[in-house]
Amino acid sequence: MKKTTLIATTILLLGTTLTVNAGDFTIGAGGASFKTPYKGFKDNNGPLFFIEYEGEDFSVGSSGAHYRFLGNDDTPLSLYATLTSVGSEFKSKDSKYFAGMKDRDMSVDLGISAVYRVGDAGELSASLLHDVAGAYKGFFADVSYSHAIELGNFAVLSPSAGLSFLSKDYVDYYYGVRANEATATRTAYKGEATVTPYVGYDVMVPVSDQWSLFHSTSYSWLGSKIKNSSIVDRDNTWATTLGVAYTF
């Protein structure tokens, strides 16, 4: 499993607290620590690097590429065409419990995202995505609420909570064990659709007009259709990041 893929998915679910204007680029670097649900998974820490661009109606970065085709910064509702990845690949070498299994590929997901700004009370976000690269070949849906809270002039705290719907194809591809992959210690498992709730927060601390410190954490509760897999030994996952960003 690529660490950067998992971290990008975390950023996708949490959003970002970096405040930028149209036409701004942001580069960032830091570190990340995470825990996957897979048995014996190696390397739970790693570096984090990203570059993002924020235009008036187009943005691209850690959470994918987004083009706004309805709404603007002054309307409560905005609709976006979104290209991203929500499926993290893994290799048979990533865990001894994967030995003999076929590698799972990273997904490329295309769909629609919506953001509804509830005045000063935060934002409601939703997305419906479909894997167009032929990895899990199914759907991924998400709905969440976030609210940016200014902590004086010191920092911006953005707590969030949401639900992700993972289609049967998604769960079976990333957590299933095919009949020809089954062993005496790894039983065959057919995944089914499930819902995964999560909570998290982002913190952004401006250091200057261009420099910021950032930190994010997310925690997810896994549905029973994931927990019951013979390659899974946890009922939760978490990830946290810390770093510095420069906007220009």
Side-chain angles (χ1 to χ4, degrees):
M1 179 187 290
K2 296 293 186 182
K3 290 187 280 289
T4 51
T5 304
L6 179 69
I7 295 165
T9 304
T10 301
I11 296 173
L12 166 67
L13 295 178
L14 288 179
T16 178
T17 58
L18 298 175
T19 302
V20 296
N21 300 311
D24 280 347
F25 284 90
T26 299
I27 56 175
S33 180
F34 60 92
K35 189 67 175 178
T36 80
Y38 294 112
K39 291 181 178 178
F41 181 75
K42 302 175 182 177
D43 299 326
N44 292 318
N45 302 283
L48 171 64
F49 303 101
F50 65 87
I51 181 168
E52 298 184 340
Y53 169 76
E54 180 75 23
E56 183 175 351
D57 291 314
F58 175 76
S59 64
V60 60
S62 302
S63 65
H66 311 274
Y67 174 72
R68 180 164 56 189
F69 61 88
L70 180 67
N72 55 56
D73 291 341
D74 297 321
T75 60
L77 177 65
S78 292
L79 296 181
Y80 299 83
T82 294
L83 181 67
T84 188
S85 176
V86 297
S88 299
E89 65 182 352
F90 70 73
K91 307 295 184 182
S92 59
K93 64 181 180 181
D94 288 334
S95 169
K96 66 180 182 180
Y97 296 97
F98 296 164
M101 294 184 67
K102 185 177 180 181
D103 295 344
R104 303 308 198 249
D105 296 326
M106 182 177 71
S107 68
V108 178
D109 300 272
L110 179 65
I112 300 294
S113 299
V115 176
Y116 184 79
R117 288 171 286 277
V118 193
D120 295 331
E123 294 183 346
L124 289 169
S125 301
S127 60
L128 178 61
L129 306 168
H130 175 62
D131 172 36
V132 295
Y136 68 92
K137 303 177 184 178
F139 289 90
F140 175 96
D142 185 81
V143 60
S144 65
Y145 169 77
S146 63
H147 181 41
I149 303 169
E150 293 187 6
L151 305 177
N153 296 321
F154 172 70
V156 178
L157 170 67
S158 298
S160 61
L163 294 170
S164 294
F165 173 79
L166 311 179
S167 69
K168 174 182 177 181
D169 295 312
Y170 184 104
V171 177
D172 189 48
Y173 184 74
Y174 289 110
Y175 300 102
V177 177
R178 300 163 186 170
N180 62 357
E181 296 174 330
T183 67
T185 58
R186 184 177 62 218
T187 59
Y189 184 74
K190 187 73 172 177
E192 298 181 27
T194 193
V195 173
T196 299
Y198 62 89
V199 295
Y201 65 85
D202 296 335
V203 178
M204 188 273 289
V205 181
V207 177
S208 67
D209 290 340
Q210 293 177 299
W211 289 96
S212 299
L213 302 176
F214 68 85
H215 163 59
S216 68
T217 294
S218 68
Y219 185 95
S220 301
W221 293 269
L222 302 177
S224 61
K225 304 307 179 183
I226 294 176
K227 292 186 294 183
N228 293 338
S229 170
S230 58
I231 58 173
V232 169
D233 65 355
R234 294 175 60 88
D235 61 2
N236 61 79
T237 63
W238 56 264
T240 186
T241 67
L242 177 67
V244 61
Y246 177 77
T247 300
F248 58 98

